[in-house]
Amino acid sequence: MSVETQKETLGFQTEVKQLLHLMIHSLYSNKEIFLRELISNASDAADKLRFEALAKPELLEGGAELKIRLTFDKDAKTVTLEDNGIGLSREEAIAHLGTIAKSGTADFMKHLTGDQKKDSHLIGQFGVGFYSAFIVADKVDVYSRRAGLAASEGVHWSSKGEGDFEVATVEKAERGTRIVLHLKAGEEEFADGWRLRNIVKKYSDHIALPIELPKEFHGEEKDKPTEVEWETVNRASALWTRGRTEVKDEEYQEFYKHVAHDFENPLSWSHNKVEGKLEYTSLLYVPGRAPFDLYQREAPRGLKLYVQRVFIMDQADEFLPLYLRFIKGVVDSNDLSLNVSREILQKDPVIDSMKSALTKRVLDMLEKLAKNEPEQYKTFWKNFGQVLKEGPAEDFANKEKIASLLRFASTGDDSGEQSVALADYLARAKEGQDKIYFLTGETHAQVKNSPHLEVFRKKGIEVLLLTDRIDEWLMSYLSEFDGKSFVDVARGDLDLGKLDSEEDKKAQEEIAKTKEGLVERLKSALGEQVAQVRVSHRLTDSPAILAIGEQDLGLQMRQILEASGQKVPESKPIFEINPAHPLIEKLDGEPDEERFADLSHILFDQAALAAGDSLKDPAAYVQRLNKLLVELSA
Ligand code: ADP
């Protein structure tokens, strides 16, 4: 071993320490995955080298055959993984093997509970990568040299996985990375050719590089050569280049874990070879769960881009719209040039047509999942439904298709879960119903009991109940589905169309006439607070209700805008009264103008509360109510 110079000891970033601690204590049930993670990194390193060598062939230093070699030493209790990929410089080793660069990591760590079971679930979501070496090793040595640097500029990184690591500059003749795992007591089983071969076959068969182990000789060993003979253990061809029928489900699943840095299986995938004007292969996956940074603006997203099998970049986000940012996978194009850059991708018309084709593929895959595996689709919806709801605003062309994938809570389903598809809703629609009715609000409990639903309950008409923050905004982009328009039941002058009989309508008009005097009195009592007062046909049980003007912002949008500090245009509600309610009858007969005004204000405020709004002057409400209560008990 050559001399080590510029030796220093550095501390791990706090998050690394937390991750290491957690990993050692919670990933004990599936230890062998450390090898998958390290092989995955080595394969990425080979991809990176091949990519950089496109512009600088000298980086290959004459050795173009990229591979991974795995050896072990039973006596020394070590397992060694060596690649001839891009390698690490001293600075890179310090940066990449001492910190975690993912944004939002510190935030993520705060979610850890100390409960090992829960945390091991979380940690899978985060991805452990290189640090998983410490699941089986109590000391890890990394010897590396970045391609293009001199042999004297190698780095030796070493750590026991506790608080710190050492780095030193060493001589390293070959470019690439060698990782030596000093196995913990009790983990010696991994220093075994048969075991390693099995793990490689199980998790890393899909890796496109050859993974070699020394050939083993059994029985009569007199023929055993003195030189090591290497044997490729994996299939060593890019998985997506194989035919669909040749690839087993398990292989698709393991490949997913490699590209997505996920620990769990995907929910679904779609593998397609496109030939004709454009030629490319895509392999797209729907993950089984949301990554911790799904809602972070700068979080990485997008596909792994290859051009004619050569890796070009990670996180190519030009191939799918933002509302499908959770999709992982690979796209391998035959049309793009090998020196394609992000800037070129953004302008290339080829990308536009690939993007729209890939978008369709994903939507088709989701449709299939919904149809064939409703339970899986439920999981999908729980994890990604909110993101998919961004779709109709972003992707006009696929609006109808996206709408068919949406799921809603509804008065037709007591579970309160978002499980009703628009097609289900229409299939159950009443005779003569040509609208899709919905109500938005803060919480399920609130909308479920909203007075706005009274007439719908009476007539047995289903109403969709929308309580996600994004819902009102979503509905402003969805005007119809399957030719039926959406109607917000809290908005405007509710017209039930054919669902109200001619007699109903006549009766409503007649009652409205008899209450004209009351309506006028209410208008002057409530004054500026209301846009309009009218007789309602929305109500059966409640005395009064607030409707939103046809063009006005709803409560949810108003609150979102207010919270983000924007000026919200002023809008006044429409106050509707239930002429059949005893309180309204009493009000109509109230001769005392002051009591009339008090009662009107109380009814108005109550209607605002029932709509989930807050009162402008709560103290005045309480005073008026108390005044009435005192009179009552007097
Ligand atoms: P991730 O792979 O998710 O980025 P890891 O913790 O697995 O996270 O690895 C951290 C970084 O260390 C990698 O992004 C890469 O830059 C570097 N690295 C790990 N293994 C190798 C390797 N065999 N060759 C070169 N660089 C590597």
Side-chain angles (χ1 to χ4, degrees), residues 15-214:
E15 287 84 351
V16 175
K17 277 190 246 173
Q18 287 172 301
L19 183 70
L20 281 168
H21 177 84
L22 184 68
M23 209 173 44
I24 292 163
H25 292 95
S26 59
L27 290 180
Y28 48 78
S29 60
N30 196 12
K31 291 177 174 168
E32 60 194 26
I33 55 94
F34 78 90
L35 194 57
R36 171 184 82 196
E37 299 293 306
L38 297 180
I39 288 176
S40 184
N41 278 345
S43 160
D44 288 346
D47 272 348
K48 280 181 209 157
L49 174 64
R50 231 183 250 128
F51 173 68
E52 286 194 19
L54 291 174
K56 288 193 230 159
E58 65 275 16
L59 289 181
L60 291 171
E61 301 172 20
E65 201 212 319
L66 302 182
K67 58 177 171 266
I68 298 169
R69 278 184 168 171
L70 200 53
T71 51
F72 58 93
D73 183 331
K74 271 192 197 317
D75 300 328
K77 300 185 184 103
T78 58
V79 172
T80 300
L81 184 93
E82 178 150 25
D83 69 61
N84 56 356
I86 191 74
L88 292 156
S89 67
R90 182 185 169 109
E91 291 69 36
E92 285 168 332
I94 293 172
H96 298 323
L97 308 182
T99 60
I100 303 173
K102 295 178 206 180
S103 65
T105 301
D107 233 25
F108 168 81
M109 293 293 174
K110 282 197 207 112
H111 285 100
L112 300 175
T113 56
D115 175 334
Q116 290 180 356
K117 225 174 173 175
K118 278 193 202 138
D119 288 350
S120 72
H121 209 72
L122 276 173
I123 200 170
Q125 183 180 5
F126 184 78
V128 290
F130 168 76
Y131 301 104
S132 64
F134 290 100
I135 300 175
V136 297
D138 51 17
K139 180 170 181 237
V140 176
D141 283 308
V142 178
Y143 303 89
S144 192
R145 173 166 70 77
R146 200 181 200 288
L149 292 182
S152 59
E153 293 182 79
V155 60
H156 174 199
W157 179 104
S158 178
S159 176
K160 296 195 163 137
E162 286 157 3
D164 49 29
F165 59 94
E166 283 177 5
V167 275
T169 297
V170 292
E171 179 90 16
K172 188 172 185 294
E174 329 74 38
R175 99 181 152 243
T177 304
R178 181 167 73 246
I179 300 179
V180 183
L181 307 177
H182 301 267
L183 298 172
K184 289 181 190 171
E187 310 297 349
E188 297 86 354
E189 61 176 272
F190 292 108
D192 178 86
W194 187 81
R195 183 86 162 99
L196 290 174
R197 248 164 248 263
N198 271 318
I199 304 177
V200 170
K201 279 303 263 182
K202 183 164 167 195
Y203 297 108
S204 307
D205 199 40
H206 60 78
I207 293 288
L209 295 181
I211 304 170
E212 299 179 346
L213 262 84

Side-chain angles (χ1 to χ4, degrees), residues 224-242:
K224 186 172 172 171
T226 43
E227 284 251 318
V228 180
E229 261 187 59
W230 295 95
E231 187 178 33
T232 300
V233 188
N234 65 327
R235 187 187 284 263
S237 71
L239 177 128
W240 65 90
T241 60
R242 291 158 56 193

